[in-house]
Amino acid sequence: MDGCCQCHCFDYILYFIDIYTNVNKTPDVEAIAREMAVTPEADDIQLVLPDKQIPISGQESQIEYDAKGTVVVNSEKIADAFQSSANSSKRSLEFNQLIVPNGKRSTLILEDGTKVWVNAGSRIVYPVAFADKKREIYVNGEVFLEVAPDKNRPFVVKTKEMDVQVLGTSFNVMAYETDESASVVLVTGSVQVDTRDDEDFRLEPNRMFSYHKGECDIKDVNVNDYILWKDGLYTYRSEHLSVILDRLSRYYGKKISYKSDVADLRCSGKLDMQEDLEVVLDGLSQTAPILYKKIGEEYILVKVGK
């Protein structure tokens, strides 16, 4: 670990000492997420613990916490997340973060049994152990969750623009801080979405809440179109090509460039993102009037014909 990372870890520890010394302060995961240092984008997935940062090689990873505080990465025990705090009340004040760069994906099993699929270009901040009365995580990016039921502890996903509260259900959240839009797609159960504009909405299964530049909308959807990314598939219906290409760029971790005439095209279809990017682009060019060329590490798409 270089000197810069050591400084960040020291600042991080001091921040939590401040929380410990104020017994009346309830840590807010969103505030903590904004305080925590984020290292420059790396090629590997990064698991950040209070005392160290662990790079995880490979395109995909599985990270699992258990009630005893053991952290397992790809079936290998790598840390005891509780070793610095024997007191259970302090454990809920310790937070980790998972940073998944473009081109990578991960699954994360939290200590309550909630399973989270984490898409490319995403960051999650979460407590090592959840508090007695609530379960909160912070998401910048896209995740699909299967929340472990617990009627006494609502589960809240916090993002820059909204909070999503559930008791036990499965749903998809897409809320990249760099995007102008955010969405919640409900598969099972029920969720309540609270926006930063003090509006609240309750979703039923097979419905999507979307937020774009302060405007909210709810509509019926085919949920598979929004959750199959976790299985390496991407389904789209009359979608702008710009949205499709930006998603592919993030998923594969490759730069894809295009002009407005390409961006405005609309397409419907399904892509197998377990294939190489060039195979996927070849398939896309069969359904849209486009061609691509590769210059260095960049893919450039152009419109052909009228």
Side-chain angles (χ1 to χ4, degrees):
M1 183 180 296
D2 59 31
C4 180
C5 290
Q6 289 175 344
C7 289
H8 287 324
C9 286
F10 183 68
D11 291 341
Y12 176 54
I13 293 168
L14 287 180
Y15 178 70
F16 286 105
I17 289 174
D18 177 64
I19 291 179
Y20 290 159
T21 56
N22 186 348
V23 295
N24 296 318
K25 185 173 183 179
T26 301
D28 178 82
V29 69
E30 182 178 359
I32 289 169
R34 300 196 182 284
E35 290 284 342
M36 293 174 74
V38 179
T39 57
E41 184 171 330
D43 292 333
D44 290 332
I45 296 168
Q46 303 290 322
L47 177 60
V48 185
L49 308 179
D51 58 345
K52 58 185 171 181
Q53 182 163 322
I54 303 167
I56 304 171
S57 60
Q59 187 138 354
E60 300 191 9
S61 69
Q62 178 167 314
I63 301 164
E64 183 172 359
Y65 291 69
D66 65 20
K68 296 180 180 179
T70 303
V71 184
V72 177
V73 176
N74 296 336
S75 301
E76 179 182 352
K77 178 179 176 180
I78 54 95
D80 181 354
F82 290 166
Q83 61 186 352
S84 62
S85 294
N87 186 292
S88 60
S89 65
K90 287 188 176 182
R91 292 174 184 173
S92 63
L93 298 176
E94 292 187 354
F95 288 77
N96 294 172
Q97 63 176 324
L98 176 63
I99 303 171
V100 180
N102 289 342
K104 303 294 177 70
R105 284 153 297 285
S106 185
T107 56
L108 172 65
I109 301 177
L110 301 170
E111 60 89 16
D112 69 332
T114 292
K115 188 171 184 179
V116 188
W117 285 260
V118 188
N119 208 350
S122 300
R123 172 180 173 241
I124 301 182
V125 176
Y126 53 94
V128 170
F130 288 114
D132 292 337
K133 295 183 179 180
K134 63 180 180 179
R135 298 174 289 168
E136 293 184 342
I137 67 173
Y138 183 82
V139 172
N140 170 12
E142 182 171 24
V143 296
F144 177 79
L145 301 97
E146 290 181 350
V147 176
D150 187 337
K151 64 181 181 180
N152 296 317
R153 293 190 300 172
F155 194 103
V156 180
V157 178
K158 288 180 169 285
T159 75
K160 180 181 178 182
E161 300 293 350
M162 60 190 176
D163 296 346
V164 185
Q165 179 173 313
V166 304
L167 292 175
T169 188
S170 58
F171 61 104
N172 195 81
V173 175
M174 183 165 65
Y176 290 95
E177 292 184 359
T178 54
D179 291 356
E180 293 182 338
S181 301
S183 66
V184 179
V185 176
L186 181 61
V187 180
T188 61
S190 65
V191 301
Q192 178 170 308
V193 182
D194 299 319
T195 72
R196 296 291 176 259
D197 300 323
D198 293 326
E199 295 182 282
D200 58 85
F201 305 85
R202 185 171 291 274
L203 284 186
E204 297 177 349
N206 302 309
R207 307 205 81 190
M208 179 176 77
F209 167 86
S210 59
Y211 183 93
H212 181 73
K213 295 182 178 180
E215 298 294 326
C216 302
D217 183 51
I218 296 178
K219 64 180 181 181
D220 295 328
V221 295
N222 182 333
V223 295
N224 284 329
D225 293 351
Y226 299 90
I227 68 172
L228 283 177
W229 62 262
K230 66 186 180 66
D231 301 316
L233 298 174
Y234 179 24
T235 302
Y236 47 94
R237 302 172 191 268
S238 191
E239 186 67 84
H240 278 111
L241 195 52
S242 59
V243 174
I244 298 170
L245 294 175
D246 289 350
R247 195 170 181 89
L248 291 177
S249 175
R250 185 176 278 148
Y251 193 91
Y252 284 96
K254 300 293 184 180
K255 184 175 182 180
I256 301 177
S257 300
Y258 52 85
K259 294 184 178 179
S260 59
D261 57 348
V262 171
D264 293 338
L265 295 172
R266 286 186 178 271
C267 298
S268 298
K270 180 186 289 186
L271 299 174
D272 183 352
M273 296 190 295
Q274 298 180 66
E275 300 278 5
D276 291 339
L277 176 57
E278 293 187 12
V279 175
V280 171
L281 292 177
D282 284 337
L284 195 58
S285 66
Q286 300 300 312
T287 60
I290 58 171
L291 291 175
Y292 75 89
K293 58 183 177 181
K294 184 180 180 183
I295 300 179
E297 294 299 314
E298 180 179 1
Y299 291 85
I300 301 174
L301 276 74
V302 296
K303 183 179 178 181
V304 295
K306 295 184 179 180

